Amino acid sequence: MPSSEPHIADALVSLGRPARNEGRHVNMPVELGSTMVFDTLAAFEAARDARYDSGTLYYGRYGNAAVFQLEDLLAKLEHAEGVTLTSSGVAAVSLTLLTFARPGGHILVADHIYGNTRNFCDSVLARMGVEITYFDPMIGADIAGLIRDTTFAVMFEAPGSGTFEVPDIPAIAGAARAAGVPSILDGTWATPIFCQPLTLGVDVVVASMSKYLSGHSDCMMGMIASTAEHAMAIRKTVMAVGDKTGGQEVFLALRGLRTLKIRMEHFERAGLEMAGWLGEQPQVKQMLHPAYESCPGHAFWKRDFSGASGLFSVVFHPCSDAQIRGFVDALHHFGIGVSWGGYESLVLPVTPLRTAGTWTEEGQLVRFNIGLEDVDTLKADLAAALPLLNTASE
Ligand SMILES: Cc1ncc(COP(=O)(O)O)c(C=O)c1O
């Protein structure tokens, strides 16, 4: 696996820290506050006029020194010209879509998109009179045929975080850009350690920082990274809505990011080992892990990503719901819960929702998040529970 660019490791250590002076703390302290005061009215007015610029200290809702440090670090990682933090990953997605949405407009959304993105489109955007077309994530450059005069955005995800199809990012982003339509990619799965979508022609990257980026399941946050063209419009929408990250969360995210690279390298290694082992078990029908040929879009993953995170799904041979429930409940080292990307292993049965196509794979889909536990412990846990999935003939 090609390793990520060396400058990422340096940025994770050296950026997002207090300014260089003697006797400084190594980390940004927790910064809390609402009102900021100025010595002169002229200084206040200058800050007010520049309040949307990252780095301007004006009022707590517009950011503070720690927020700006975190935004700068993320911009470096994503090769972005603008980054705005949000209170959650869902807020990052919805506020980006709101930035571009127009009443009576049209949006193209990948059919394997994260469930709450679909929910935002089908509820809030639909109420605004927006028409939504879900498309096959493997459509590639043929997306051009679905773009209308009224299309205001193409929203997709790479890979899908339940079924793991990897779309052709440059083909979709390129077709959108050629038509003058911004493309928005949810890049939560790969993190900038394994993929930098803005370098592949995407206009806006959104991510849940509640997952790998903060990394310890103790922080809710999102981020929106974009080209210069869209950065200010997005920032103004976030500020207009009044979405805001807390000081404690900013501290936790900066702290978590220091170890992002080594965590991702571990998750890749452990995820591949667990997927390899699971793939050999008789109960497993198909491995939906982008590093496996059996995963749709594997060739695009090889071309556009420098690695794989530790989240993947397995299709088990058809069995009863009761068997799946028994299997999941029997695991001791896999927590049952939504989200992922923390230090702990998780398991969750997934029911894919499709409206552009249908999910035709026969069998039960179960998603695994591989954490930092010893892989032998995880294998032993699974080995003890897997026989519960055996059908009568096995
Ligand atoms: C792919 C993806 N994007 C966005 C989100 C939303 O992030 P958050 O939980 O931080 O709102 C999630 C959460 O599960 C996700 O899986």
Side-chain angles (χ1 to χ4, degrees), residues 241-365:
V241 170
D243 190 64
K244 163 84 177 68
T245 45
Q248 184 85 2
E249 282 76 9
V250 171
F251 176 85
L252 288 170
L254 271 169
R255 197 179 200 279
L257 276 165
R258 303 293 174 212
T259 56
L260 179 66
K261 189 163 182 288
I262 56 167
R263 282 188 286 110
M264 296 312 289
E265 286 166 354
H266 173 88
F267 293 137
E268 169 164 50
R269 256 192 329 272
L272 285 170
E273 188 170 336
M274 292 306 298
W277 180 85
L278 268 164
E280 289 168 359
Q281 307 309 307
Q283 297 83 2
V284 171
K285 183 169 165 238
Q286 187 181 355
M287 187 57 60
L288 295 177
H289 184 303
Y292 278 73
E293 274 181 29
S294 54
C295 187
H298 165 72
F300 300 134
W301 171 79
K302 263 172 85 174
R303 186 191 63 191
D304 297 333
F305 293 66
S306 61
S309 65
L311 185 81
F312 60 87
S313 286
V314 164
V315 183
F316 287 113
H317 287 294
C319 59
S320 68
D321 276 354
Q323 280 177 295
I324 286 288
R325 299 178 78 87
F327 164 72
V328 168
D329 287 351
L331 295 170
H332 299 295
H333 292 276
F334 290 82
I336 303 167
V338 291
S339 201
W340 37 276
Y343 56 86
E344 72 289 2
S345 288
L346 299 169
V347 63
L348 201 65
V350 177
T351 308
L353 176 62
R354 291 287 186 274
T355 49
T358 45
W359 177 254
T360 50
E361 201 59 60
E362 255 191 58
Q364 267 74 15
L365 193 64

Side-chain angles (χ1 to χ4, degrees), residues 3 39 46 100 117 135 138 158 161 184 202 212 217 226 243 328 350 381 389:
S3 67
D39 287 343
F100 297 111
T117 301
F135 65 86
M138 305 316 293
S161 58
I184 306 161
V202 168
Y212 289 122
S217 303
S226 74
D243 190 64
V328 168
V350 177
D381 200 17
L389 298 177

